[in-house]
Amino acid sequence: MPSTATDVFHQALEHLLAKDMPGFIALFADDAAMEFPFAPPGRPSRVAGRAELHDYLVDYPQTLDVRQIADVTVHETADPEVIVAEFTATGVVVATGEPYRLRYIAVLTVRAGRIVRYRDYWNPLAVQELFGEGVRA
């Protein structure tokens, strides 16, 4: 099991690229939360607990076929449990076959090798343009 917040983040990226959502979800603590500070109206701004996270994330590869994650920069903070990660995901929107490219900033809090909080900052306008209403970033 990964030990540092940076290790956990890199393991999460590997699971996303492999489309291994059970593996990705397993990196979260039972009481973890994902937060989306820029979520547009009608989209969740917070998903909490393993069951909700599972339901929100398990079908992600049927929405986005993420084929590459690039420009990864991890900023460690004064708190060893907290990192700020920047990255670009590219791939294909499954429903349309259109190319997908989006820049993310994520703030992760990791305790005992598990993600307890994942704040996901993405551009809701770009997401709405690429996918229309009701699609996760």
Side-chain angles (χ1 to χ4, degrees):
M1 173 182 286
S3 58
T4 69
T6 298
D7 292 341
V8 170
F9 172 71
H10 285 291
Q11 184 69 51
L13 294 182
E14 289 177 24
H15 286 299
L16 283 174
L17 282 172
K19 297 166 187 38
D20 176 10
M21 297 316 292
F24 182 80
I25 295 163
L27 293 173
F28 287 82
D30 289 340
D31 60 349
M34 287 189 86
E35 298 171 354
F36 310 99
F38 298 141
R43 298 299 306 146
S45 60
R46 187 169 197 271
V47 179
R50 173 92 39 137
E52 281 188 31
L53 285 165
H54 175 272
D55 291 348
Y56 185 80
L57 294 168
V58 72
D59 293 328
Y60 190 81
Q62 282 74 48
T63 302
L64 291 176
D65 178 4
V66 177
R67 296 181 178 177
Q68 182 180 18
I69 296 175
D71 305 321
V72 178
T73 303
V74 175
H75 305 277
E76 295 184 354
T77 69
D79 181 344
E81 294 182 339
V82 178
I83 61 167
V84 178
E86 302 176 67
F87 60 98
T88 301
T90 58
V92 174
V93 178
V94 174
T96 65
E98 292 295 317
Y100 159 75
R101 179 180 174 86
L102 195 62
R103 185 90 176 132
Y104 295 85
I105 295 177
V107 180
L108 282 72
T109 303
V110 177
R111 289 192 190 107
R114 298 272 185 237
I115 301 168
V116 296
R117 187 174 182 202
Y118 189 117
R119 280 179 285 154
D120 198 5
Y121 294 88
W122 42 266
N123 181 343
L125 297 176
V127 169
Q128 288 177 330
E129 182 179 312
L130 284 171
F131 309 108
E133 296 245 340
V135 177
R136 293 168 251 206

